[in-house]
Amino acid sequence: MAKQEKAELDRIFEYTNQFYNANKNMLVLFSIPFILASLIPLLVSAPTYITLGGTYIRTGSFPDFSVLDVLFTVVAYAVSVFLIADTIVNINLIVKSKRTMLKTPYDILKKGASEYVLRIFLVLTLLVLLTAALQLLTYDLSIQKFVYPLLTFLVYFFTFFFAQAVIIDDSDTASAIYRSISLATKKWYLVLLWTFIGLVGLSITKFLGDLLFGGFSEFFVLLVNSLVILPYLIVLQVQIYMEKYPLSLHEYK
């Protein structure tokens, strides 16, 4: 690894860990909606399931849905995605405020609610619909288990920094997508590292959950994922994005 890249990684993790440790109580508070976002889809009649702390729907059961099932499922997932968008915005704004000396309460209550959440909610909704469509389109293919994960990864890879482009740079939707594609392509190794860290964190939590809680492990994983792993990963994601602005670096207090 080149010295410049190593120095970059050292900075990113130094500020991520420093920020996370200094603000973990606030991050836990703002991450509670992640739990609700995962539990809400379970309250509808659709065949949902929890795995690795996330809630998913069995697309193979779509043909058996009634109109009412579809309506309830759409509403449940819309509320879930909105809560996720709101949490992402709030955590991003907390990090942004510490890096740019903005007033966090004003940003969260004014700009966060009025400008950012709706845009990110709409894009996240489109991504959910797109990945569901990809799963349905590849459903009868013998190579679905390879093609679908690859296509889904590419979708989220190129939109990896979309939320940060909207919140940090106040970009409009088109510009945010362009910035995300550009930075993800340029810093692909950081996106892959972030993905690897997330998978390791989720896998360790799943192992501990199975070991300690048996049949209740998925709910343990849900709590740890929502309140610890996801907040840390979002903070890390913001720090990777803000590495473009080295002059904004300072100690978190």
Side-chain angles (χ1 to χ4, degrees):
M1 179 182 295
K3 289 184 178 180
Q4 184 177 355
E5 293 177 350
K6 184 178 184 303
E8 180 184 44
L9 285 175
D10 289 342
R11 281 196 307 272
I12 289 171
F13 282 101
E14 177 185 354
Y15 282 94
T16 297
N17 295 333
Q18 188 181 45
F19 176 87
Y20 185 85
N21 290 329
N23 299 276
K24 53 181 175 292
N25 292 335
M26 185 186 300
L27 290 171
V28 168
L29 178 64
F30 279 105
S31 299
I32 291 175
F34 273 140
I35 301 175
L36 300 176
S38 297
L39 291 178
I40 286 175
L42 296 176
L43 301 178
V44 300
S45 59
T48 54
Y49 62 98
I50 294 179
T51 182
L52 289 178
T55 305
Y56 304 89
I57 189 168
R58 304 182 193 278
T59 53
S61 301
F62 282 168
D64 299 326
F65 279 17
S66 67
V67 175
L68 196 58
D69 288 336
V70 172
L71 179 61
F72 279 132
T73 302
V74 168
V75 171
Y77 271 81
V79 173
S80 177
V81 172
F82 184 86
L83 288 172
I84 292 172
D86 184 63
T87 306
I88 290 173
V89 168
N90 288 337
I91 294 177
N92 273 262
L93 284 173
I94 294 171
V95 181
K96 180 180 179 181
S97 70
K98 300 295 184 180
R99 292 281 291 263
T100 59
M101 295 300 188
L102 294 175
K103 295 180 179 179
T104 306
Y106 173 81
D107 272 346
I108 291 177
L109 295 177
K110 302 290 288 186
K111 298 194 75 173
S114 63
E115 295 184 24
Y116 301 137
V117 175
L118 183 58
R119 267 192 284 165
I120 292 174
F121 164 72
L122 291 175
V123 171
L124 286 179
T125 300
L126 289 175
L127 292 179
V128 170
L129 293 175
L130 177 58
T131 53
L134 290 174
Q135 189 169 9
L136 289 173
L137 289 172
T138 60
Y139 184 73
D140 290 326
L141 297 180
S142 59
I143 57 173
Q144 188 208 33
K145 62 181 180 179
F146 302 109
V147 173
Y148 173 69
L150 175 61
L151 293 177
T152 301
F153 173 78
L154 290 176
V155 168
Y156 285 101
F157 174 84
F158 289 116
T159 57
F160 184 77
F161 293 110
F162 171 80
Q164 286 69 46
V166 170
I167 300 165
I168 306 300
D169 287 330
D170 291 316
S171 300
D172 57 49
T173 301
S175 298
I177 292 175
Y178 173 80
R179 286 175 184 269
S180 178
I181 294 173
S182 176
L183 187 58
T185 304
K186 181 179 180 181
K187 300 292 185 179
W188 58 269
Y189 53 93
L190 293 178
V191 179
L192 293 182
L193 178 61
W194 183 94
T195 304
F196 175 76
I197 292 171
L199 289 175
V200 170
L202 291 173
S203 299
I204 292 175
T205 305
K206 182 68 166 65
F207 172 78
L208 292 176
D210 290 342
L211 183 66
L212 299 175
F213 298 97
F216 297 95
S217 65
E218 294 300 349
F219 293 97
F220 167 78
V221 174
L222 174 62
L223 289 176
V224 176
N225 183 24
S226 299
L227 301 180
V228 180
I229 296 178
L230 283 177
Y232 181 86
L233 288 174
I234 293 175
V235 172
L236 176 60
Q237 188 178 25
V238 182
Q239 301 292 358
I240 293 173
Y241 186 85
M242 293 196 73
E243 187 65 15
K244 300 191 307 176
Y245 307 108
L247 293 180
S248 67
L249 293 172
H250 66 278
E251 292 186 0
Y252 295 110
K253 298 181 180 179

